[in-house]
Amino acid sequence: MNTKLFVTGIVVAAFIAGLLNTPVPETLGEPWKYRLVIAERKIIQLAAGVQSFVTSKSYTASVRQLRHQSSSFFSLFNSVESKTTNATYTTFDGVSVLVYTPLSKSKHLQPAFIYIHGGGKAYGSIALYEGLTRQFAERLQIPVVSVEYRLSPENPMLSDFEDCLKATVWFMKHSRKFGVDNKRIAIGGDSAGGSLSAAVSQHVHDQTDLPDLAFQVLLYPNTQVIDLHLPSHQIYRHHFKEGGFLSVHAIAIFAGLYFKQSYDKPFVKTMTASNHTIPALKAHPEWKKCLDHELVPKELRNPKYYTPWKADETGNDAFWDTYGNLIQDVRTNPGLREDLKNLPPAFVATCDLDSLRDDGIIYAKRLETAGVPVKLINYEGAFHAITWLGGLSHVMEFATGKQMINDIVAHIRETLKINQ
């Protein structure tokens, strides 16, 4: 048998299967482009799975292979070349960063934007996000810092937070070296990067020797893993089952890689069923306030797909005894912080067809209740990772993702008073 022909046949079959068997809700914009992206993603996952099976059967090896295959494929679209900015790889307090600076120098101190990439804290890199961060740098014409943080499962829990905090604090303390006013620094990120941006904003706020960050840009952030039974989780299951860009099952896998530094089937099964806490916690007034389903607009809680949870319905004492303190740590789940007063103003973008939609909505509503200026936009027909795809290539750019990037740029300009 011709091995190359056989492998090619498998790849083609996987691609066609990805095109034809991808669930697509009626409200999703540009459905065939979405099918194409999902098919490409499945091929990358297949290639990584085959490679890791041949070389090593460990799940950590498969994670590394998926990173490698993703980098190899998507690097075809990225380039650090720009006509309006310089891009320099360096380190801030030992943390790798990519710093963009405008070619035209300003006589005055400028604002800046720190960006933290997504990827479930197990995937993603400054290289994979170079297209998006370069776009921000070119359009804003201010210094932009993209942070490379340590990933799971190779590194212990909170390595990611520690790296992002170290890089942010170092930049704030040395901002004049880059011609930056440390009172006008914004921070932002998508998915896990949105979670880290929120957590770093909170921690910087609590430090007395630094000014607050000026603005936080939270793109479909994953702010908690206590409640995986939110309306958006349930609606996602209806639309995508265990497919799409970020299923509840995938969230549970990422959580296991992060909290256990391994893939553990019982852990994933328990969390996917949202049976990983205890009834007493679900009934506690403070936790109910942090995870109040009523904060999600009524029109987004369609009773056709959504049923409220009951405090006494599910629970797992043994699981909670082992992982409860980790899951409640606000450095990794910033949506559980009780006091949100005086945090930086925020732009929160959520995607209507994203499992994490309600994480962002609830956190935005709680910030607003605490008196923090917030602009919340829920983008209809949008799905998880839509802005990152737009940063990769115009071929993968969706109209809704393009609008989201336009809105981010506009709100950063307005809040940081760029060119005013």
Side-chain angles (χ1 to χ4, degrees):
M1 179 185 290
N2 188 314
T3 303
K4 288 185 178 180
L5 185 61
F6 178 70
V7 172
T8 302
I10 291 177
V11 170
V12 171
F15 184 75
I16 293 173
L19 285 177
L20 299 179
N21 298 324
T22 298
V24 180
E26 291 181 4
T27 57
L28 192 148
E30 301 170 88
W32 275 102
K33 185 182 285 188
Y34 174 80
R35 285 190 173 96
L36 181 65
V37 169
I38 292 295
E40 291 170 344
R41 190 166 180 251
K42 286 182 177 179
I43 289 172
I44 293 170
Q45 290 172 336
L46 175 64
V50 170
Q51 185 66 28
S52 63
F53 180 81
V54 170
T55 57
S56 170
K57 292 184 173 64
S58 76
Y59 199 86
T60 299
S62 70
V63 170
R64 291 197 186 103
Q65 279 299 327
L66 187 53
R67 288 181 198 148
H68 173 71
Q69 296 292 344
S70 298
S71 296
S72 299
F73 178 76
F74 291 119
S75 64
L76 299 172
F77 302 101
N78 283 340
S79 168
V80 293
E81 295 179 4
S82 171
K83 294 181 180 179
T84 61
T85 61
N86 283 319
T88 305
Y89 288 93
T90 185
T91 58
F92 287 177
D93 196 12
V95 178
S96 296
V97 295
L98 177 57
V99 181
Y100 302 87
T101 51
L103 290 177
S104 56
K105 302 299 181 182
S106 173
K107 295 179 181 179
H108 308 287
L109 291 178
Q110 294 179 286
F113 182 37
I114 299 169
Y115 195 84
I116 304 174
H117 69 76
K121 301 183 178 180
Y123 300 101
S125 66
I126 55 179
L128 272 177
Y129 272 74
E130 189 276 325
L132 181 61
T133 50
R134 174 165 40 87
Q135 190 175 156
F136 285 136
E138 290 175 342
R139 295 183 62 179
L140 291 168
Q141 281 299 293
I142 61 174
V144 171
V145 177
S146 182
V147 181
E148 190 88 277
Y149 55 88
R150 285 171 290 169
L151 301 173
S152 62
E154 299 94 329
N155 298 290
M157 173 185 164
L158 296 177
S159 297
D160 52 323
F161 170 79
E162 290 165 0
D163 288 350
C164 293
L165 180 63
K166 281 171 65 177
T168 299
V169 169
W170 189 94
F171 184 55
M172 294 184 78
K173 289 182 175 180
H174 299 84
S175 61
R176 285 182 173 267
K177 176 182 176 182
F178 300 89
V180 168
D181 178 359
N182 71 354
K183 295 182 178 64
R184 297 170 67 201
I185 297 176
I187 192 169
D190 63 303
S191 191
S195 171
L196 285 161
S197 297
V200 170
S201 295
Q202 293 174 3
H203 204 81
V204 169
H205 172 70
D206 293 337
Q207 294 191 17
T208 57
D209 60 335
L210 289 172
D212 272 344
L213 288 157
F215 193 43
Q216 46 183 331
V217 178
L218 312 180
L219 310 180
Y220 32 92
N222 180 198
T223 61
Q224 56 84 35
V225 290
I226 289 276
D227 185 355
L228 297 183
H229 195 67
L230 289 167
S232 58
H233 295 128
Q234 297 181 53
I235 294 168
Y236 187 96
R237 284 191 181 102
H238 172 81
H239 287 314
F240 299 101
K241 305 299 188 265
E242 296 304 333
F245 263 91
L246 188 67
S247 66
V248 175
H249 181 73
I251 294 172
I253 290 174
F254 284 132
L257 295 176
Y258 189 72
F259 294 119
K260 287 179 63 69
Q261 287 82 56
S262 66
Y263 173 73
D264 182 271
K265 283 187 179 180
F267 181 101
V268 172
K269 183 178 180 180
T270 299
M271 188 166 270
T272 301
S274 201
N275 194 33
H276 56 293
T277 59
I278 53 175
L281 178 81
K282 295 175 182 178
H284 194 283
E286 286 301 330
W287 291 120
K288 288 179 72 175
K289 184 175 71 174
C290 290
L291 300 166
D292 186 1
H293 292 203
E294 297 292 322
L295 292 176
V296 179
K298 189 175 181 179
E299 62 271 20
L300 299 181
R301 290 181 275 122
N302 190 331
K304 183 178 178 181
Y305 316 119
Y306 164 65
T307 55
W309 71 353
K310 295 179 181 179
D312 59 349
E313 237 174 30
T314 59
N316 188 320
D317 289 341
F319 188 99
W320 188 250
D321 287 344
T322 304
Y323 302 108
N325 287 336
L326 305 180
I327 291 173
Q328 293 180 89
D329 194 317
V330 295
R331 292 170 294 179
T332 189
N333 289 291
L336 302 180
R337 178 175 168 123
E338 294 179 25
D339 182 11
L340 302 180
K341 292 178 182 177
N342 301 315
L343 289 175
F347 174 77
V348 182
T350 59
C351 298
D352 192 45
L353 297 173
D354 183 11
S355 59
L356 299 183
R357 182 196 67 190
D358 296 346
D359 276 32
I361 289 175
I362 290 173
Y363 190 63
K365 295 288 187 182
R366 291 188 59 232
L367 284 170
E368 201 170 49
T369 300
V372 176
V374 177
K375 177 65 176 179
L376 167 65
I377 302 179
N378 181 49
Y379 292 83
E380 293 186 11
F383 55 90
H384 197 77
I386 197 169
T387 53
W388 170 64
L389 289 170
L392 284 172
S393 166
H394 290 302
V395 176
M396 297 186 186
E397 185 177 63
F398 289 74
T400 308
K402 184 177 181 179
Q403 182 60 55
M404 195 182 298
I405 292 173
N406 289 341
D407 291 340
I408 294 165
V409 170
H411 282 88
I412 292 175
R413 282 186 172 278
E414 180 183 355
T415 305
L416 299 185
K417 297 179 171 55
I418 299 173
N419 297 334
Q420 291 184 10

